[in-house]
Amino acid sequence: MTDAKTVHAFCDDALGGLDATAIATLIARGELSPREVAEAAIARAKRLEPYINAIELPLFDTALDAASAAASGAFAGVPTFIKDNTDLKGLPTNQGSAAVNARPAKEDGAFAKQLLAQGFVTLGKSRMPEFGFNASTEYMGLNPVRNPWHLDYSSGASSGGAAALVAAGVVPIAHANDGGGSIRIPAAACGLVGLKPTRGRFIDAEASSSLPVNIVGEGVVTRTVRDTARFFAGMEQVYRNRRLPGVGAVEGPGKRRLRVGLVLDSINGAPTDAATRETVLQTARLLESLGHRVSEMPLNIKPSFADDFSIYWGMLSFLVSTFGKQLMSPDFDKRMLDNLSVGLARHYRKNALKTPAVLYRLKKSQDDYARNFGDYDVVLSPVLSHTTPKLGWLSPEQDFDSLFERLLQYVSFTPLNNATGSPAISLPLGATAEGLPIAVHFSGAHGDEKTLLELAFELEQAKGGFRRIEDFARA
């Protein structure tokens, strides 16, 4: 299970080394029962949680009762966790913040209903940083979520708890969402597949649907491409947005050879480190060997984008800190906010007069982004400008100015897809000298998750499958 710094829960139980698709298939055939699968996952969670600290609220007794009830859907009987910014009936939604102190939700949230209709057995809520603002799941005065590949490193964020649980083998799939990279960043840090959907692909969570620019995409993190593809197909059986092309059942590589645009440097000028750059270039060479055409491309995005997104990021913190009692809980206590939330709100107040222009440009960025796809089918880039940092580098215990600058340097590729509403996927295609995962990022045209999934299948097969944490631990 552990070699001091690397931990995982894979063992010879009902879950074994299976992905969610395999577990769902065995349950449907009657070869596994949902209860024995839930029992195995709970045992794994109890064994690993002291190491990774990824669970916000356990629901183990309720999960065993739910596993004993009949369920239907693409993942009937498969155990999972729901992120702590999504309402589940009977549980508080504390948004990863000590300031919130929420009352138990009266019903499942709108998105949660769509997700749970796939038959998942919910084991509890996963941890996240305060309001999802950080790119590492760390706290002031509390233990962080730790990366199971190496416990001294960040698991990413804001879906850092979900990613740690899936990477460590506690569950094969977990809910995640993405307002600036929060599916793709933890997927990159923990060696997982993370696909941010097109805006409107799924039913929106209530809070995100009310935003002036809806930057939040819902989804999952998984260990295999087929689990992510099955999730998208299953969600489409529950709700289909007729304004978007259907994704359908994607089950393998596509036959079409793609025009791939290569972007190595970020919009804000943050340098890409050598290991990350080499992983992207190796992926480009692999794509060419598979018959795809790769060429460097200029990114048609206004230079103001990075500043605009930072101001919008600050605006969200300002709204939370100012109206927390109305938006979150009557017991909201702004004195408990961390340094990042306080600093972001202050950053917005300094720039508040720019709000109309910022919102206008962010909304127009969708049109700018779309023009990139006249000559290209997908865009290849880093997920992040440098490899996963050690815990503490992005801690909210840092002073705001230092932390903010580090975040701007680190998270310089992913926010574009949030503002534009476009789909993008993180795939674990490289490794650091220490063996930690390095991911690459593919962005697609609006509504074209299908191409991203087909390409992900092809790369997964070309690599003989993505690296697994238990193999790394044995090496």
Side-chain angles (χ1 to χ4, degrees), residues 52-353:
I52 61 175
N53 192 41
I55 300 172
E56 177 66 24
L57 290 166
L59 268 180
F60 297 155
D61 291 340
T62 304
L64 289 175
D65 292 339
S68 299
S72 60
F75 293 99
V78 175
T80 194
F81 282 84
I82 307 297
K83 190 173 169 180
D84 187 36
N85 58 3
T86 299
D87 282 352
L88 284 178
K89 184 178 180 179
L91 289 183
T93 302
N94 285 323
Q95 305 280 343
S97 175
V100 176
N101 302 307
R103 312 288 171 83
K106 294 181 179 179
E107 62 178 340
D108 294 333
F111 170 77
K113 290 177 181 176
Q114 185 185 3
L115 182 145
L116 294 174
Q118 295 202 56
F120 288 113
V121 174
T122 305
L123 301 188
K125 285 195 164 186
S126 61
R127 291 193 192 277
M128 58 179 286
E130 185 164 273
F131 307 119
F133 291 150
N134 205 344
S136 185
T137 308
E138 300 182 53
Y139 309 94
M140 294 183 67
L142 297 173
N143 289 329
V145 176
R146 296 181 180 275
N147 191 325
W149 286 83
H150 194 302
L151 296 175
D152 290 342
Y153 285 78
S154 170
S155 67
S158 63
S159 308
L165 289 162
V166 174
V170 174
V171 290
I173 184 171
H175 167 235
N177 47 32
D178 191 317
S182 295
I183 292 172
R184 294 159 289 159
I185 293 168
C190 292
L192 303 175
V193 178
L195 173 54
K196 176 213 165 288
T198 301
R199 183 160 45 221
R201 173 65 68 191
F202 304 139
I203 296 172
D204 285 328
E206 289 80 356
S208 58
S209 63
S210 64
L211 295 174
V213 180
N214 183 0
I215 59 173
V216 181
E218 302 285 344
V220 289
V221 286
T222 69
R223 294 194 297 268
T224 63
V225 176
R226 70 174 185 170
D227 278 359
T228 296
R230 185 183 181 96
F231 177 80
F232 273 69
M235 293 289 277
E236 206 165 56
Q237 294 301 308
V238 180
Y239 165 77
R240 166 77 191 280
N241 185 342
R242 299 294 173 181
R243 294 171 297 173
L244 295 175
V247 178
V250 182
E251 297 179 336
K255 295 181 179 179
R256 182 168 60 115
R257 298 300 85 187
L258 303 175
R259 302 165 299 168
V260 180
L262 176 62
V263 174
L264 290 169
D265 298 308
S266 68
I267 297 168
N268 68 3
T272 301
D273 74 2
T276 301
R277 183 177 290 264
E278 180 56 27
T279 298
V280 175
L281 290 173
Q282 286 177 357
T283 302
R285 292 191 288 270
L286 176 58
L287 289 168
E288 289 177 330
S289 75
L290 294 170
H292 302 285
R293 192 188 78 194
V294 181
S295 58
E296 290 195 45
M297 65 172 285
L299 200 54
N300 182 38
I301 297 296
K302 290 182 172 58
S304 63
F305 176 82
D307 287 339
D308 290 342
F309 196 89
S310 295
I311 292 170
Y312 189 73
W313 186 16
M315 186 190 79
L316 298 182
S317 186
F318 171 80
L319 292 173
V320 166
S321 59
T322 305
F323 302 106
K325 288 184 180 295
Q326 295 87 349
L327 295 172
M328 302 286 176
S329 166
D331 297 323
F332 181 86
D333 184 355
K334 67 186 300 181
R335 295 172 300 178
M336 300 296 291
L337 293 172
D338 71 20
N339 289 344
L340 179 56
S341 296
V342 171
L344 284 170
R346 185 171 63 244
H347 176 68
Y348 174 70
R349 285 193 292 270
K350 292 178 182 177
N351 293 279
L353 293 178

Side-chain angles (χ1 to χ4, degrees), residues 440-464:
V440 302
H441 192 251
F442 289 97
S443 302
H446 196 81
D448 196 16
E449 289 93 331
K450 181 178 180 181
T451 294
L452 294 179
L453 286 167
E454 289 175 340
L455 184 57
F457 266 117
E458 186 173 7
L459 289 169
E460 184 182 41
Q461 290 182 12
K463 298 288 283 188

Side-chain angles (χ1 to χ4, degrees), residues 351-427:
N351 293 279
L353 293 178
K354 300 177 183 177
T355 301
V358 165
L359 295 180
Y360 174 79
R361 287 193 294 266
L362 288 178
K363 290 176 181 178
K364 290 291 290 180
S365 67
Q366 179 173 332
D367 298 331
D368 296 335
Y369 177 87
R371 286 194 286 274
N372 289 299
F373 289 87
D375 298 319
Y376 299 95
D377 300 304
V378 296
V379 178
L380 165 63
S381 74
V383 179
L384 296 152
S385 65
H386 62 77
T387 58
T388 304
K390 283 190 172 182
L391 290 165
W393 182 253
L394 299 177
S395 169
E397 294 183 339
Q398 302 252 2
D399 69 273
F400 172 74
D401 290 340
S402 298
L403 176 56
F404 191 50
E405 180 61 28
R406 289 176 178 184
L407 285 169
L408 293 178
Q409 293 293 305
Y410 184 48
V411 185
S412 53
F413 290 93
T414 54
L416 178 61
N417 302 96
N418 298 91
T420 62
S422 53
I425 192 168
S426 172
L427 298 174

